[in-house]
Amino acid sequence: MSGLIGKKIGMTSIFDENGKNIPCTVIEAGPCIVTQVRTEEVDGYKAIQLGFDDATEKSATKADLGHAKKAGTSVKRKIAEFKGFDKEYKLGDAITVEHFIEGEFVDISGTSKGKGFQGVVKRHGFGGVGQATHGQHNRLRAPGSIGAASYPARVFKGMKMAGRMGTDKVKVENLRVLKVVPEKNLLVVKGCVPGHKNAYVIIQK
């Protein structure tokens, strides 16, 4: 799937032609620079590697500097590979937000917000003391019983328990493109997108 790398700016809402209020996410999409071209002969598959958002040379490794120099561009903070472009691109070419058309549907993936160490009620939707699930009695948000008796004498793998929540790779599919603003490199899509503000996202179509 062809696409671009973007940065989540935040959420807002706009009114459609029927006066309905639609929640939407604003994404800064591109311009992305072609930093490498994968070919069948050399790599065994066809794809292009795109770089987005300039990084400082001070924070870059020599390998990154050499890679960027080959493409005639500055070092990039985020790099990703995409397949399925109709056009042939060369090193150093720029792909802008105009790659997307208003009204089409896109898939957006990113890293969800980190929630830290959470209990079973928030993390797995346990009922708490109100429904007294899992052998729960009078301890409000406690997990309750987690195993049987002397057989199997262990806790099964994958048992729903408290733990770190969030920072997972999440893909949201079929988000409609409501607006493309080429002069500001902005893409407005219907609905919400994973990640915090200024988080990098991958937009595919």
Side-chain angles (χ1 to χ4, degrees):
M1 293 168 79
S2 65
L4 284 178
I5 308 167
K7 187 192 275 188
K8 179 177 171 178
I9 302 297
M11 287 195 76
T12 182
S13 61
I14 59 174
F15 291 93
D16 66 5
E17 59 277 3
N18 302 318
K20 193 177 176 187
N21 192 9
I22 301 172
C24 54
T25 305
V26 182
I27 300 166
E28 184 189 332
C32 293
I33 308 298
V34 178
T35 52
Q36 193 171 359
V37 179
R38 303 281 192 187
T39 59
E40 288 276 3
E41 302 79 58
V42 179
D43 306 288
Y45 66 99
K46 278 185 78 172
I48 61 170
Q49 187 190 79
L50 298 180
F52 173 71
D53 205 9
D54 292 341
T56 57
E57 286 198 9
K58 192 177 88 171
S59 64
T61 62
K62 284 193 176 179
D64 289 339
L65 289 165
H67 191 67
K69 193 178 177 185
K70 216 173 187 179
T73 183
S74 56
V75 180
K76 302 298 177 187
R77 283 184 191 277
K78 179 72 176 171
I79 281 175
E81 273 189 16
F82 295 88
K83 294 179 180 179
F85 279 96
D86 303 329
K87 224 174 120 188
E88 291 291 325
Y89 288 99
K90 302 189 300 292
L91 275 178
D93 285 354
I95 305 174
T96 65
V97 73
E98 289 172 287
H99 179 65
F100 300 104
I101 305 155
E102 286 182 16
E104 72 180 351
F105 290 87
V106 293
D107 297 346
I108 299 180
S109 54
T111 305
S112 63
K113 285 182 180 179
K115 309 284 185 187
F117 194 101
Q118 295 299 331
V120 288
V121 173
K122 188 180 177 87
R123 194 176 187 217
H124 298 295
F126 281 19
V129 80
Q131 292 166 19
T133 54
H134 295 258
Q136 225 310 26
H137 176 48
N138 59 354
R139 294 166 302 148
L140 291 176
R141 301 168 72 91
S145 173
I146 60 161
S150 56
Y151 178 82
R154 66 191 178 91
V155 176
F156 290 112
K157 280 188 177 179
M159 176 65 64
K160 291 180 178 178
M161 299 172 93
R164 286 279 290 277
M165 183 181 172
T167 60
D168 299 310
K169 189 178 178 188
V170 179
K171 180 185 263 192
V172 182
E173 297 181 329
N174 298 322
L175 296 174
R176 187 153 55 90
V177 175
L178 299 176
K179 236 180 218 180
V180 178
V181 188
E183 56 273 13
K184 291 186 177 176
N185 300 312
L186 294 181
L187 188 71
V188 181
V189 296
K190 183 180 178 180
C192 55
V193 164
H196 55 81
K197 286 179 185 176
N198 294 322
Y200 293 115
V201 291
I202 305 289
I203 312 150
Q204 294 174 303
K205 70 170 186 174

